[in-house]
Amino acid sequence: MEKPGNVRLRLLSFAVIAYMMLAFAWWSILLYTKNQDAFLAKRDKLRILMVAEGSIKNDADFFQSTQYLHLEKQYKRQEYMVLGEAVVFTISLLIGLWLINRGYKQEVGTARQQRNFLLSITHELKSPLASIRLVLETIQRRSLPPEKLEKLTRGALLETERLNSLVNDLLLSAKLEAAYQPYRETLDLPQMLEDIVTRLENKYPSVSFVFHKQSAITTLEGDRSGLSSVMINLLENAVKYSKPPVEIEANIRQESEHIILEIADNGKGIDDKEKSKIFDKFYRIGNEDTRKTKGTGLGLYIVKQIIVAHEGTIEVLNNEPEGTIFRIKLPLKVDKE
Ligand code: ADP
């Protein structure tokens, strides 16, 4: 929702611009007609003078005389000047209008993202804390049978893991904003991906994961924790934004001097108009009040920053018949400074 103050300010600036346009149009028309009047008066005066001097016999002579042609040329030049100024001024005003509108839209977008972020972060921080607290209180109050205790503590541990990854994401995104330089070491990316897929297979037993290594792959110099975070984020999103039966494919291959990594799901897919926005910080599709899935809108922002720091690219494609494919292209050779 727009704040009433913002709407008023916006309407006021549009009204001022509209007034300026009208005033300018009025002055331009006035200048144009006055210029025309001046020209006609000068023309008539010249004709009377020339008739009195006897230098012309009729109108045809007058309209061909050098004095008249000179006067007409001067008039045309002034007419073009008025028209030219009007066009330049109108274009400048329209550009101004467009800039105001663009700035305003950006502001509204940022405000929406901040609100979304605050709502989701509050929820994401509060709910694990509340459930851990509940578990601890239950344990404190009652003596529980070992299997119940084991179940409760497992749940609490999962919640602490969620909190931990949220805090890590926040810290990582803050770090990415300051100068982030990937700490490079020799990595066996297919092995890393396979290990992560195996871990997620245990975490989500109902999801079917497929891992494909499609060609021999050279090792890559990269940041282990950064690139792990990229793979985990994409795979977790694939699980989160798909409905059962969930099928996820992780492909890795080498194409000449690049490693191509693809995470494909059969989920709800991403609209074309959202594809460029999802990598923005705190951006989540839809509205926080109605959304069911948990998240902060930091995941894909972090993914993109890490890939860019490795001089790679990431793109989003539609999967067939439905779902999404995230494709990452990482260069094997990086320009070292
Ligand atoms: P979060 O998951 O915390 O909302 P992300 O930055 O990871 O934030 O993702 C941004 C948005 O992109 C998500 O809110 C979701 O709407 C959309 N999205 C990400 N991955 C997928 C996917 N695999 N399928 C469909 N939508 C996705």
Side-chain angles (χ1 to χ4, degrees):
M1 271 295 284
E2 276 183 49
K3 283 194 199 147
N6 282 352
V7 178
R8 238 176 287 136
L9 200 68
R10 196 178 185 213
L11 286 178
L12 191 72
S13 35
F14 284 143
V16 169
I17 289 187
Y19 171 77
M20 281 165 75
M21 292 274 255
L22 281 176
F24 187 74
W26 161 248
W27 284 111
S28 302
I29 292 168
L30 198 70
L31 196 62
Y32 188 82
T33 48
K34 291 288 169 212
N35 188 36
Q36 201 171 33
D37 290 348
F39 165 68
L40 293 176
K42 277 187 194 162
R43 186 193 67 183
D44 292 345
K45 188 179 151 201
L46 184 66
R47 185 163 34 195
I48 293 167
L49 270 174
M50 288 175 86
V51 170
E53 277 171 4
S55 53
I56 53 163
K57 288 193 192 68
N58 49 31
D59 274 358
D61 283 354
F62 174 68
F63 288 122
Q64 273 160 21
S65 66
T66 41
Q67 287 99 319
Y68 171 74
L69 290 175
H70 177 70
L71 192 68
E72 194 193 26
K73 202 169 143 196
Q74 214 177 22
Y75 164 65
K76 285 274 177 235
R77 209 173 36 225
Q78 280 166 350
E79 201 179 55
Y80 286 138
M81 222 175 78
V82 173
L83 283 175
E85 292 277 332
V87 169
V88 169
F89 189 78
T90 312
I91 291 176
S92 326
L93 267 182
L94 288 177
I95 292 177
L97 208 65
W98 177 74
L99 286 176
I100 289 180
N101 211 27
R102 197 183 61 165
Y104 172 79
K105 278 196 178 144
Q106 275 170 356
E107 208 178 297
V108 169
T110 315
R112 192 190 93 154
Q113 272 177 28
Q114 276 173 355
R115 184 171 158 272
N116 267 357
F117 170 67
L118 272 180
L119 279 171
S120 61
I121 203 98
T122 313
H123 180 259
E124 291 289 288
L125 283 172
K126 277 177 100 175
S127 62
L129 278 178
S131 64
I132 294 167
R133 185 179 179 175
L134 194 71
V135 168
L136 292 177
E137 280 172 357
T138 318
I139 295 173
Q140 197 183 34
R141 267 194 232 124
R142 294 193 270 151
S143 64
L144 297 161
E147 61 280 10
K148 184 95 196 270
L149 194 65
E150 147 77 12
K151 198 176 158 208
L152 280 178
T153 39
R154 204 173 337 114
L157 278 173
L158 273 177
E159 294 295 347
T160 47
E161 198 190 301
R162 237 177 85 191
L163 265 181
N164 192 31
S165 76
L166 172 65
V167 173
N168 279 345
D169 272 2
L170 284 170
L171 290 178
L172 190 55
S173 74
K175 196 166 122 190
L176 288 169
E177 228 133 86
Y180 163 73
Q181 279 293 322
Y183 169 74
R184 290 183 183 274
E185 56 185 306
T186 307
L187 302 177
D188 180 354
L189 272 194
Q191 193 55 53
M192 277 169 66
L193 182 60
E194 197 173 2
D195 291 347
I196 290 170
V197 168
T198 312
R199 246 168 48 208
L200 292 177
E201 263 170 344
N202 294 330
K203 188 171 170 188
Y204 303 107
S206 63
V207 176
S208 120
F209 286 95
V210 180
F211 168 77
H212 276 307
K213 181 177 155 186
Q214 290 163 317
S215 60
I217 292 169
T218 331
T219 52
L220 173 128
E221 297 289 308
D223 180 351
R224 181 182 297 277
S225 77
L227 291 174
S228 299
S229 165
V230 166
M231 297 176 195
I232 294 171
N233 260 306
L234 292 181
L235 287 162
E236 291 269 5
N237 272 353
V239 176
K240 193 159 73 170
Y241 298 106
S242 304
K243 279 202 201 88
V246 185
E247 285 164 29
I248 294 168
E249 246 189 77
N251 291 319
I252 189 160
R253 61 180 183 275
Q254 185 170 340
E255 282 177 7
S256 62
E257 291 301 294
H258 289 90
I259 290 184
I260 313 287
L261 200 152
E262 281 174 354
I263 307 292
D265 63 54
N266 63 342
K268 58 182 180 177
I270 299 177
D271 268 5
D272 283 346
K273 64 175 187 334
E274 300 283 3
K275 285 194 173 107
S276 59
K277 299 187 199 155
I278 51 172
F279 296 102
D280 290 351
K281 199 173 183 187
F282 302 138
Y283 188 83
R284 306 191 73 206
I285 299 175
N287 195 315
E288 209 54 45
D289 303 325
T290 52
R291 197 181 300 108
K292 301 276 184 298
T293 50
K294 292 166 181 163
T296 53
L298 276 175
L300 289 181
Y301 166 77
I302 292 175
V303 166
K304 171 115 188 217
Q305 300 305 309
I306 293 173
I307 295 301
V308 169
H310 283 82
E311 295 176 27
T313 55
I314 179 161
E315 56 179 335
V316 199
L317 311 164
N318 295 331
N319 199 3
E320 292 301 331
E322 56 186 354
T324 315
I325 305 175
F326 282 89
R327 178 180 294 158
I328 289 173
K329 198 171 172 187
L330 285 169
L332 284 167
K333 287 204 179 72
V334 186
D335 300 334
K336 291 211 176 95
E337 279 147 34

